[in-house]
Amino acid sequence: MGIEARRTPIQTFYAGLAIFITGGTGFVGKILTEKLLRSCPDISTIYLLIRSKKDKSPESRLDEMFEKPLFDRVKNEVPNFRKKIVPIIGNLDTENFGLSENDKNILINQVSIIFHMAANVRFIENIKTSTIININATATILKLAKLMPNLKIIYRLARISSQWPNTYTFTKAIAEGLLRDESGNLPVGIFRPAIVLSSAEEPLVGWIDNMYGPQGVTVSWALGFTRFLSCNPDVKANIVPVDFTVNALIASAWNVYNQFRRGKNTLIYNFVSPVDGPTWNEYRNAFVDTNKTYPLYNAKYFPFMIYVQHKILYRICVWLGHFLPALIIDAISICINRSPRMWKLCKKVDKFSNAIEPFCTNEWSFSTDNVQAMWSRLSKKDQKLFQFNMVGFDWTKYLFDHYMGMRLYLLNEDDSTLEISRISRNPLKKNYLTQRPTSASPLLSYTEDKELDVVVQKLIYVESAIRKLTKEMKKYIGALTNLDRADQRLSTNLINCGLAQNNDECRKIVEEYYSVATQVGKNVQEISSLCHKTFIEPLKKFRNEFITIAAAIAKREELVATWKYVYNRVKKLQEKKDRTASHIAKLERERRAEEAAAKELKTIHAQLLTELPTFLGKRLEYINPSIHAVITIQLNYYGHATQLYTQLMPIQCSSEFTSSMIPEEEHQRIINTELNRLRALTIVKDH
C-alpha cells in the first residue's frame, strides 16, 4: 500500500503491465526502454522485437546494448532491470514478423501496451522496401493487437510532415491512415515528433548514437568534408531532444487511455520545436562557435558551411567543392597505391544532404494543442519525472551539448585529444605543449606519474620561454629598423632642406652625419639578418620539436583513456555474480584487452620518462650558442656605431669634457637670447 501511495498517476498506469516495443534497439527505442525501466520500475515485462544481425544472436545484441553507458544509470537505480527484458525474435520484413508460435502466444496473452516505433528511416529507400517495413509491419501489429484481450493502448510513432518529400514520410503517412481506419475499437494513439536529436538532460547529456537526419551532414561538416548545403538559413530547425520526446511519448499513452477516443477521433500528438526554436542559421553558428573551442582531432580540413538556396547553384557548388576535389584526391590515392574512398564518401554525404533538404528549405506549422493540454493534466510529480515542456527551453546550452555529445558518442573523441586538436587547428597562436599528463593510477604509481608530470611542466615552461624570447627578438629588430628609418629621414631632410647650403662648416657636418647614418643603416640590415639566422630560426626549429613531444604525450593520453575504459569494464564484469560460460568468456576477453592496453601504456610511459629528461637536459647545449651570437652581434653593432659617431664629433668621456661643457643655465640663456632676436623681426611681429 505504501509503494502504491508513492506512485505518480503515470507510474500507477504502467505498474504491473507488460509492454511490447518494436524498434527498441533504435535510437529512440533505447531511450524509451531505459526511461520505462528507470522511471516506471514496477513494469512487469518489456518484450523487445529483435533480429539477428551480422553474425550476432538477438541475445548477444541485447547484451551489447545494455553494456553501453546509456544504461549505467538504470543499472544503479534498478539493479534487477535485466530480468524484465524478454527478447522476441522477429523481423519486420518477414510475414507476421517471423514470430514463433510460442512467442506469438506470449505476446497475445501478456501484452497490455504496444509501442510500434520500428521503421525504415532511410529517407531515399525504394518504395517497395519502405512499404514492406513501414506499412505491412503496421498491418501486422494491428492483426496481433486485435487478438490481445488485455490491450490497453497501441501507440504508433510517426514522422511529422505536411508533405511527402520522400518514401519514408509517404509510407509513414499511409501507415498512419491504416492505423486510424482499421483499428476499429482498439485504443490507438499517434505520436508525431519533429527531427529527434541528442538528449538534453537524461540519462546522459548529449547522448546520440545514429547518423541519420542532420547528424550525417553535421558530422561530415565538422570533419571538414562538407562545404555546401541546400538550406534556407531563416527556416526554423524543427528539432527536439530525444529524452523530451520519449517523456512525451510515455505520458501520451497514459493520456490516450484515459480519454478513450477511437477511430477517426484518434488522438494525435505533434511534438515539435516551439516558436522560439533556433533557425538553421542559428544551428550552424552554434556549431561553428563550439567547434572553435572544441575542434575535432580527426578533422581532415578546416570546417565551414555555406548555405545555398538556389538549386542549380547548389549543384554547381557541390560538384566544384565536393566531387571535383574527391576525384583529384582519389586519383592521387590510386597513383600511390592507396584505396580511393573520397568519391564514395562524398556520394554518401550527398545522399544525406538531399534527404534532409526538404526540411531545411521548408517550414510548416503544426497544432500542439493536444501536447499542451496533456502537459496541463499531469501532476506536479509527473511533470518533474516526465519533463517535456519546451517553453523556455535553453537552446544555447542544448546546441552546445548536442555538439559535445556528437563529438563524444559518435566520433569517440574525449578531452584527451583536445589539446592536440587545438594545436592542429591553429599552431601559430598556441603553444604546442600545454597538456599535463593524466594520472594512470592504479596501473602506475604516484611516483611514476609525478615524475613525468614534473618533466612535462618544465618542458612547458621552456617552450613558453622560447616563444617569448623569439617574440621579443622580433620586436627588438622591428624597433631597431624603425629607429634607423627615422635616422635616414632626418639626415636626408637635413642635407636636402638648404639650411646648410650657405655655410661650408655646417654643410660639412650635415654631409658627414648623412654618411654615418647611411653606414649605420647598413649595419642595421646586417644585424637583422644575423639575428634571424643565429637566434630566431634556430629557436624556431627547436620549438618545432615540441610538436613531436606533444603528439607523444597525446598518444599516452589516448592509451590512458583506453586502459581506464577497459579496466572499468573488467571491474564491472567481476562485480557481477553471473557465472555463465558467456559471461566468463567475455570477462576473459576483457582481461586480455586490459593487459594489452596496460602493456602498451607502460611502454610509452617508460619511453617518455627516458627521453624527455634527456631532451630537457640538452636544451642549453642548443640554446647557448644562439644567446652568445646575439650578444656578440649587439656588441659589434653598438661598438661600430659608437666609433662612427665619435669620429663625426670627437668627445672625451672624462671630467675635462664635463667641466668644459657650457653650464645648462648659460645654454638656456643663449637659446632665449637668439629666440628674442627672431621674435623682434618684423615678419614675426606682424603675425
Side-chain angles (χ1 to χ4, degrees), residues 221 283-296 396-405 407 418 422 425:
W221 160 80
Y283 179 89
R284 173 186 60 183
N285 292 343
F287 268 56
V288 169
D289 292 341
T290 309
N291 181 263
K292 290 176 182 176
T293 307
Y294 298 92
L296 298 181
T396 301
K397 179 181 182 300
Y398 175 72
L399 292 177
F400 171 82
D401 292 336
H402 176 43
Y403 174 89
M404 297 302 288
R407 181 174 175 268
L418 187 56
R422 288 172 175 169
R425 168 64 66 86

Side-chain angles (χ1 to χ4, degrees), residues 22-24 49 92 115-120 133-134 137 156-157 172:
T22 68
L49 184 69
L92 291 179
F115 285 107
H116 178 42
M117 301 191 301
N120 187 323
I133 296 179
N134 294 341
R156 169 68 176 172
L157 189 72
K172 291 282 269 189

Side-chain angles (χ1 to χ4, degrees), residues 208-211 215-216 218-225 287 291 294-299 402-414 417:
I208 190 169
D209 75 341
N210 74 67
M211 298 281 278
Q215 286 88 255
T218 303
V219 168
S220 177
W221 160 80
L223 293 173
F225 294 116
F287 268 56
N291 181 263
Y294 298 92
L296 298 181
Y297 177 72
N298 291 309
H402 176 43
Y403 174 89
M404 297 302 288
M406 179 195 73
R407 181 174 175 268
L408 177 61
Y409 299 113
L410 286 183
L411 299 174
N412 298 315
E413 293 194 16
D414 55 20
T417 64

Side-chain angles (χ1 to χ4, degrees), residues 670-687:
I670 295 171
I671 290 175
N672 289 336
T673 301
E674 295 300 321
L675 282 175
N676 288 334
R677 288 177 59 192
L678 289 172
R679 290 173 186 143
L681 295 174
T682 304
I683 191 172
V684 177
K685 270 187 173 184
D686 290 343
H687 289 78

Side-chain angles (χ1 to χ4, degrees), residues 407-455:
R407 181 174 175 268
L408 177 61
Y409 299 113
L410 286 183
L411 299 174
N412 298 315
E413 293 194 16
D414 55 20
D415 288 345
S416 65
T417 64
L418 187 56
E419 292 299 331
I420 195 67
S421 302
R422 288 172 175 169
I423 291 168
S424 301
R425 168 64 66 86
N426 197 348
L428 298 179
K429 293 186 178 180
K430 301 284 183 182
N431 279 2
Y432 295 121
L433 189 60
T434 57
Q435 182 180 15
R436 292 171 59 179
T438 305
S439 170
S441 175
L443 179 64
L444 300 176
S445 67
Y446 172 80
T447 303
E448 289 174 307
D449 279 331
K450 185 66 176 177
E451 188 177 353
L452 182 61
D453 185 53
V454 169
V455 175

Side-chain angles (χ1 to χ4, degrees), residues 546-560:
F546 287 87
I547 299 176
T548 306
I549 296 174
I553 293 174
K555 174 65 176 177
R556 179 192 179 275
E557 295 305 295
E558 291 178 15
L559 293 174
V560 170

Side-chain angles (χ1 to χ4, degrees), residues 315-546:
R315 294 315 302 175
I316 293 173
C317 290
V318 166
W319 272 98
L320 295 179
H322 295 172
F323 288 112
L324 183 59
L327 279 173
I328 295 172
I329 293 173
D330 280 353
I332 295 173
S333 299
I334 292 172
C335 292
I336 59 176
N337 293 323
R338 290 187 179 180
S339 176
R341 58 190 184 92
M342 287 300 297
W343 177 264
K344 187 177 180 180
L345 176 63
C346 282
K347 288 193 70 174
K348 188 174 183 180
V349 172
D350 194 50
K351 285 184 179 180
F352 278 124
S353 302
N354 292 335
I356 68 168
E357 185 265 342
F359 305 97
C360 295
T361 55
N362 297 287
E363 187 172 338
W364 301 287
S365 297
F366 302 95
S367 171
T368 59
D369 292 345
N370 288 339
V371 173
Q372 298 305 320
M374 174 177 63
W375 175 256
S376 64
R377 292 190 188 100
L378 262 60
S379 67
K380 294 296 182 183
K381 288 184 177 179
D382 275 332
Q383 286 184 351
K384 185 176 181 180
L385 189 61
F386 301 97
Q387 159 70 334
F388 60 84
N389 185 18
M390 298 293 290
V391 176
F393 187 73
D394 189 347
W395 286 104
T396 301
K397 179 181 182 300
Y398 175 72
L399 292 177
F400 171 82
D401 292 336
H402 176 43
Y403 174 89
M404 297 302 288
M406 179 195 73
R407 181 174 175 268
L408 177 61
Y409 299 113
L410 286 183
L411 299 174
N412 298 315
E413 293 194 16
D414 55 20
D415 288 345
S416 65
T417 64
L418 187 56
E419 292 299 331
I420 195 67
S421 302
R422 288 172 175 169
I423 291 168
S424 301
R425 168 64 66 86
N426 197 348
L428 298 179
K429 293 186 178 180
K430 301 284 183 182
N431 279 2
Y432 295 121
L433 189 60
T434 57
Q435 182 180 15
R436 292 171 59 179
T438 305
S439 170
S441 175
L443 179 64
L444 300 176
S445 67
Y446 172 80
T447 303
E448 289 174 307
D449 279 331
K450 185 66 176 177
E451 188 177 353
L452 182 61
D453 185 53
V454 169
V455 175
V456 171
Q457 285 189 65
K458 289 180 179 179
L459 287 170
I460 290 173
Y461 174 79
V462 169
E463 191 208 3
S464 180
I466 290 173
R467 184 166 176 252
K468 289 178 181 178
L469 284 171
T470 306
K471 186 177 179 180
E472 292 303 320
M473 176 56 74
K474 290 179 180 178
K475 286 183 178 180
Y476 169 76
I477 293 173
L480 205 60
T481 303
N482 289 334
L483 179 61
D484 173 60
R485 288 172 182 167
D487 267 344
Q488 296 294 330
R489 286 195 298 269
L490 178 60
S491 61
T492 301
N493 288 335
L494 282 173
I495 204 167
N496 292 330
C497 68
L499 292 175
Q501 298 302 320
N502 297 326
N503 187 293
D504 293 340
E505 184 179 354
C506 185
R507 184 176 66 253
K508 182 180 178 182
I509 293 173
V510 169
E511 289 175 349
E512 289 178 351
Y513 172 55
Y514 177 80
S515 176
V516 168
T518 302
Q519 293 181 61
V520 171
K522 293 178 180 179
N523 289 345
V524 168
Q525 294 176 6
E526 187 178 354
I527 190 177
S528 175
S529 175
L530 287 172
C531 285
H532 272 282
K533 290 179 180 179
T534 62
F535 191 87
I536 293 176
E537 291 177 8
L539 291 192
K540 183 179 179 181
K541 290 179 181 178
F542 180 70
R543 187 166 172 255
N544 286 340
E545 295 299 319
F546 287 87

